[in-house]
Amino acid sequence: MKNIAVLMGGYSSEKDISMKSGKVISKYLNKDLYQVYEIVISEQSWSYTSADGEVHEIDKNDFSITINDNKVIFDCCYNTIHGTPGENGLLQAYLELIGLPQTSCDSYQSAITFNKRDCIAVLKPWGITTAQSVYLNQSQEVDVNLIVDRVGLPCFVKANRSGSSYGVSKVYQIEHLPAALDVAFAVDNEIIIESFLDGIEVSVGVYKKDGTIIALPPTEIVSENDFFDYEAKYQGKSQEITPARISERMTVAVQELSKRIYELLNCKGIARADFIFHQGTPHFIEINTNPGMSEESIVPKQVEASNQSLTDFLTDIIEETLN
C-alpha cells in the first residue's frame, strides 16, 4: 500500500476550511490502496496525531514521521491547504526540493494562480475575457476618482492573494471606497479592484486523468447575499445548483474555456475556475488550485453530478500525480 499524507490547515484565515477539506479527503480515499495520514500544517508545528492521541512531528529533512521506532516515508501528499503555504507555492517548492510528489500545481504555477493580478496578466494576452481592473499596493497613494473612472460603480475590492472571500467588499458609492480598501488591505498588502459584472455566476472543476484534461459539470451560484461572500459560501446563504441552469452551448463554452485556462496555466490536480456570463460571454474571475473539498464545497457535488464516486475521483488525482 502507498502512504498518502493528507495536508491540511495552513497559516492563513482559511485554515479551518482546509481542515474540513482534509477530513473529507481522508474519509473518501481508498483504504484498500492507500494508508492515509492526516498531517496538520500550522505555524507552530507540522504533525500527525495517531489514533492513541500521540503527536508525531514531521521530520522536515525528508517529510517523514517515526511511529514506534518505524520511519514512515510518504509516496505522495494530497495537498488540500487553502491559502499560504499550500496554495501559493511555498510548500510546493519545499516538496519539489525533497522530491516528494503532491497533488496541486507546481510552485511557480501556484504562485501565479494564487495572485489574482498576475494570473489575469498571464491570461489576457491569450484572449481570456476578464473584468476591468485596477491594482494597488498598500504604499501607493490612492485617487478614488481615477479608480471609479476605470472600473465604474458598483465595483468589487478584493485582497489580491486570498481565498474564501476574505477581504472582499462590493462598493456602490465612491465615498465608501476608502473603507473597502482598508478591509482588503487588512488581509493583504496588494489589492485588486474590479468592475461589476452582471450575469450568471458559474464554477467549473477541472482535472487531468491519463494525461487528458477533463471538465466537470458546471455549478451555478445564486447567492442570497449581495454577492458570493464568506457567509454565502460556507454558512448556507446561497444556492449551488449542479449542473448549472444554462444552455448546452453555454455549458460547452465554459467547460472548454476552463480546460484551456487549465492548460495555459499548466495546472495539475483538481482546480476550480470561476466565471460570470456577462452579456452572454463567460468572463474569467479566478482559479482556485486547491479548491474546497468539504461536504459543503462545490467540487464534490460536481463529481457526484458526473456519475462517479468521490473515492474513484480521488484515486484518479493521486495516480495521475504519481505517474
Side-chain angles (χ1 to χ4, degrees), residues 149-193:
D149 286 346
R150 177 68 184 272
V151 302
L153 289 171
C155 65
F156 282 101
V157 180
K158 304 177 181 180
N160 189 44
R161 297 167 296 186
S162 179
S164 300
S165 296
Y166 287 106
V168 179
S169 303
K170 188 175 181 181
V171 177
Y172 287 90
Q173 297 174 297
I174 192 168
E175 56 266 28
H176 296 159
L177 192 53
L181 298 178
D182 290 340
V183 169
F185 278 133
V187 175
D188 187 14
N189 60 13
E190 298 177 1
I191 65 173
I192 181 170
I193 306 160

Side-chain angles (χ1 to χ4, degrees), residues 199-202 204 218 244-257 276-282:
I200 301 170
E201 184 170 356
V202 298
V204 185
R245 301 170 300 180
I246 55 179
S247 68
E248 179 67 21
R249 179 188 63 80
M250 294 168 73
T251 297
V252 171
V254 78
Q255 285 179 318
E256 291 302 313
L257 181 56
I276 292 178
F277 273 94
H278 178 62
Q279 298 178 348
T281 299

Side-chain angles (χ1 to χ4, degrees), residues 218-233:
T219 295
E220 178 184 353
I221 298 164
V222 183
S223 176
E224 295 177 18
N225 294 346
D226 198 24
F227 63 96
F228 196 45
D229 59 7
Y230 182 91
E231 188 180 47
K233 281 185 177 180

Side-chain angles (χ1 to χ4, degrees), residues 37 39 48 56-58 63-67 70-72 74:
Y37 297 82
I39 307 298
Y48 165 72
H56 305 270
E57 294 291 331
I58 291 286
F63 201 83
S64 65
I65 53 176
T66 300
I67 302 175
N70 294 315
K71 186 171 184 174
V72 178
F74 296 106

Side-chain angles (χ1 to χ4, degrees), residues 283-304:
H283 287 58
F284 172 76
I285 305 300
E286 63 179 340
I287 189 164
N288 298 277
T289 56
N290 281 8
M293 294 294 289
S294 69
E295 300 287 1
E296 301 84 18
S297 297
I298 290 171
V299 169
K301 297 172 185 175
Q302 295 183 350
V303 171
E304 182 181 2

